[in-house]
Amino acid sequence: MKDESNSGSITRRGVLMAAAAVSAGTALQSCARPGDSAAEAPKAKSHDLDFDVVVIGGGFAGVTAARELGVDGYRVLLLEARPRLGGRTFTGKFQGKKVEYGGACVHWIQPHVFAEMQRYGKGFEEVPLVDLDATNVMLSTGEIRRISPEEFIREYDFAMEAFNARSLELFPRPYSPFFNPEVLALENVSAAEHIETLGLNEIQKATLNAEMTLYAGAPTTEYSYTSFVKLFALAAWDYYMFTDSEKHYKIADGGTLGLCKAILDHSGAEVRLGKVVSAITQEQDSVRIETTDGQVVTAKTTVITVPTKVYDSISFSPGLSNEKQAFIKNAEMCDAACMFVRFKQNIGNTFSFCDDPNPFSAIQTEYFDDQIGTIVKVTLARQSLIDINDQDAVKKEMKRLFPNVDIVAISSYNWATDPFSRQGWPSYRVGWFSKYKDMAKPEGRLYFAGGATADGWHEYIDGAVESGIRVGREVREALGRELGSRE
Ligand SMILES: Cc1cc2nc3c(=O)[nH]c(=O)nc-3n(C[C@H](O)[C@H](O)[C@H](O)COP(=O)(O)OP(=O)(O)OC[C@H]3O[C@@H](n4cnc5c(N)ncnc54)[C@H](O)[C@@H]3O)c2cc1C
């Protein structure tokens, strides 16, 4: 991370908690809090162990799981590798403006994240997506078509409707994605193959392929067609609703970080930041968790929420099932990064799609006025197509679309190379959509969450929250059975 983001900052609460954790070592700590009625009626505890539950990862899946179990009175420890919370969401500052370097947009059609926003009193903040002044399409060849917003929307709308024409038929119940068995039969169809059947014109094809590359974080030949259609179905099988849900509203009142902290604060969990889990060993009645700084904690159960591609960096004993190992190795491929660029000039409200293999997949105005000029957000589906640390290369690429601007500042975050994500958003490789259930399945005392394991909005914050709620239920049931029988 460069420029002005707060990547290195540790919250005051985090510092206090990390300090407390160091001085207390592995001491027992109750998470019951005065005034919390759920916590005032604690369940039977596993007092020979440090915690009832250790949650690994402080993204939305992890904080939700911690909250679900913490408010039930269980003793929860959350271990987070980075010195900050939020995981693949990251509220920062660029040129004095609040920006989101990771997951950003949310919507009331996404039920889990919306419920959390309601619970903690967070509103919506609008991104200037409507009333566009200018729209551009860069074809895969690099040629640019500067078309009116009306034409852009018409052509893109047509292509999206065509791509998702079977969404209601295939996904009448999107949260049971294989309710229609034909979805399984289409498991090996890639987005690229499906696009080829649609008979689209140049602009339709370029905008649709750029969008699918964005969702894939990879060439569309690698992306699962049906997994995207499921996302579309979740937005009431409707083009307008889907588009509104993906790029129009952010979380107000502290951004994603504000919501993440609100959920975690409610949990009463102990939090240790900067703790990289390196080994997880299941013993007969407990789990032993080791961090790279040599600390060990024990718990009845462990919830793992790290991104799929990070699992390889943790040693599991006994090893994970063959099905999980196969999912970890093959199922995801998102090579994404995010960048903010400030132009001196106010170029207004713009949106551009650049078809693969151009590196800047989508460029969207975030702020514009005569004082700031313009701040655009660039989403790179395939960061390996350009060196985002090479400012000259970035400027040159940007000037292809906006030749007359002066670039004042650039700030980027590379999710694909960050050791604690190793990927962008969760996207399924063709042939792997139906296997996400393998990743979600408990193994002994280990429970698994994270966006990739969600039934619903798996590429979104909403899916992460959904998975945290599901895993909370699984652990609650298991602990209730086990600890209840020891009374
Ligand atoms: C650029 C970008 C744009 C996106 N845009 C949107 C959007 O607009 N809307 C939307 O809803 N979603 C969006 N997403 C997706 C969304 O942000 C993620 O799907 C979601 O945040 C994932 O949450 P998670 O809890 O499953 O995983 P994560 O947030 O990745 O949480 C996992 C946590 O585990 C920690 N960890 C990793 N290894 C270890 C270890 N060894 N020990 C301890 N901790 C460890 C990580 O540091 C991390 O905090 C975007 C994502 C990216 C990257």
Side-chain angles (χ1 to χ4, degrees):
M1 167 61 97
K2 299 180 301 179
D3 204 302
E4 303 163 53
S5 69
N6 62 0
S7 61
S9 70
I10 304 177
T11 61
R12 183 165 179 272
R13 173 183 159 82
V15 172
L16 292 174
M17 285 181 156
V22 170
S23 62
T26 57
L28 293 174
Q29 177 177 320
S30 169
C31 64
R33 296 169 311 128
D36 185 333
S37 58
E40 277 166 4
K43 297 186 165 42
K45 299 295 189 302
S46 47
H47 279 301
D48 47 339
L49 299 172
D50 300 333
F51 295 92
D52 297 322
V53 188
V54 170
V55 175
I56 302 172
F60 272 91
V63 298
T64 306
R67 193 272 319 278
E68 290 295 291
L69 294 158
V71 297
D72 269 7
Y74 290 110
R75 296 170 303 142
V76 180
L77 169 68
L78 185 141
L79 295 174
E80 166 53 49
R82 295 182 174 110
R84 63 167 182 89
L85 295 168
R88 278 172 282 173
T89 63
F90 187 2
T91 310
K93 277 223 156 163
F94 172 64
Q95 301 287 296
K97 296 284 188 188
K98 179 165 74 70
V99 293
E100 298 281 359
Y101 286 92
C105 289
V106 292
H107 202 268
W108 46 91
I109 193 110
Q110 296 162 351
H112 302 91
V113 71
F114 183 47
E116 300 302 338
M117 291 170 69
Q118 294 280 81
R119 191 193 309 257
Y120 299 109
K122 306 290 181 190
F124 289 98
E125 185 180 310
E126 200 164 357
V127 177
L129 184 71
V130 290
D131 297 331
L132 290 162
D133 297 313
T135 41
N136 305 301
V137 181
M138 189 183 279
L139 307 179
S140 60
T141 55
E143 288 169 82
I144 296 165
R145 301 281 184 262
R146 299 186 190 280
I147 58 177
S148 70
E150 293 72 28
E151 185 182 356
F152 183 100
I153 290 164
R154 190 175 61 244
E155 300 293 19
Y156 173 59
D157 177 350
F158 181 91
M160 281 288 276
E161 295 274 17
F163 189 87
N164 295 291
R166 300 189 64 204
S167 67
L168 178 57
E169 180 196 348
L170 290 175
F171 296 99
R173 300 186 192 180
Y175 278 94
S176 303
F178 304 101
F179 179 76
N180 179 345
E182 200 187 340
V183 175
L184 270 183
L186 295 171
E187 176 91 319
N188 292 322
V189 178
S190 71
E193 267 177 277
H194 186 61
I195 290 171
E196 282 309 318
T197 66
L198 302 176
L200 303 176
N201 69 26
E202 181 186 66
I203 299 291
Q204 291 161 353
K205 195 168 172 182
T207 51
L208 179 62
N209 202 58
E211 178 75 314
M212 290 304 123
T213 308
L214 259 183
Y215 272 81
T220 51
T221 47
E222 290 188 41
Y223 188 44
S224 154
Y225 152 59
T226 47
S227 72
F228 180 84
V229 180
K230 180 197 72 171
L231 298 175
F232 189 86
L234 284 160
W237 312 277
D238 181 76
Y239 162 77
Y240 184 84
M241 186 62 94
F242 181 79
T243 307
D244 203 53
S245 72
E246 61 169 352
K247 296 185 179 77
H248 198 177
Y249 294 100
K250 298 193 287 190
I251 301 171
D253 315 307
T256 54
L257 182 61
L259 182 61
C260 198
K261 279 183 172 166
I263 298 172
L264 190 57
D265 283 351
H266 189 182
S267 75
E270 181 177 332
V271 180
R272 299 182 191 172
L273 298 178
K275 296 290 173 193
V276 181
V277 171
S278 52
I280 299 174
T281 307
Q282 293 200 63
E283 289 159 357
Q284 188 163 356
D285 294 321
S286 62
V287 186
R288 182 184 148 88
I289 299 115
E290 290 176 57
T291 50
T292 50
D293 59 2
Q295 289 196 1
V296 174
V297 283
T298 55
K300 269 280 162 206
T301 55
T302 298
V303 172
I304 303 156
T305 74
V306 304
T308 311
K309 291 225 166 278
V310 174
Y311 274 80
D312 273 356
S313 65
I314 301 174
S315 154
F316 288 89
S317 176
L320 296 174
S321 65
N322 290 339
E323 290 79 11
K324 263 197 190 61
Q325 289 187 40
F327 189 92
I328 289 161
K329 189 159 174 242
N330 301 303
E332 292 193 59
M333 71 250 160
C334 183
D335 185 32
C338 173
M339 184 187 291
F340 288 89
V341 180
R342 181 178 173 189
F343 305 152
K344 189 173 166 197
Q345 294 79 7
N346 176 2
I347 64 161
N349 191 11
T350 69
F351 188 88
S352 306
F353 264 142
C354 304
D355 193 6
D356 196 46
N358 298 295
F360 295 171
S361 313
I363 307 174
Q364 179 173 355
T365 296
E366 282 261 319
Y367 296 98
F368 63 106
D369 62 38
D370 290 341
Q371 204 183 350
I372 192 100
T374 312
I375 291 178
V376 293
K377 177 177 186 172
V378 184
T379 308
L380 298 92
R382 300 177 60 197
Q383 60 77 32
S384 43
L385 293 171
I386 190 170
D387 177 1
I388 58 173
N389 295 318
D390 180 343
Q391 301 236 336
D392 289 339
V394 168
K395 284 182 182 170
K396 195 169 159 205
E397 186 61 32
M398 190 59 89
K399 289 260 186 182
R400 292 169 71 201
L401 265 173
F402 301 107
N404 301 321
V405 299
D406 296 309
I407 294 172
V408 179
I410 302 170
S411 173
S412 57
Y413 195 105
N414 197 332
W415 294 98
T417 57
D418 181 318
F420 303 122
S421 48
R422 295 184 176 181
Q423 63 179 97
W425 45 89
S427 64
Y428 303 131
R429 194 186 296 278
V430 61
W432 287 87
F433 173 23
S434 70
K435 314 285 192 310
Y436 78 90
K437 290 275 189 196
D438 293 334
M439 199 61 220
K441 219 175 269 170
E443 296 194 9
R445 295 180 174 281
L446 308 189
Y447 293 81
F448 299 86
T453 68
D455 290 322
W457 295 90
H458 64 277
E459 298 204 24
Y460 291 75
I461 296 166
D462 191 83
V465 175
E466 181 206 312
S467 76
I469 291 171
R470 186 255 309 147
V471 89
R473 184 184 66 241
E474 291 170 352
V475 173
R476 186 183 303 120
E477 285 170 6
L479 283 179
R481 279 195 302 272
E482 187 170 1
L483 300 182
S485 69
R486 283 166 35 136
E487 270 183 311

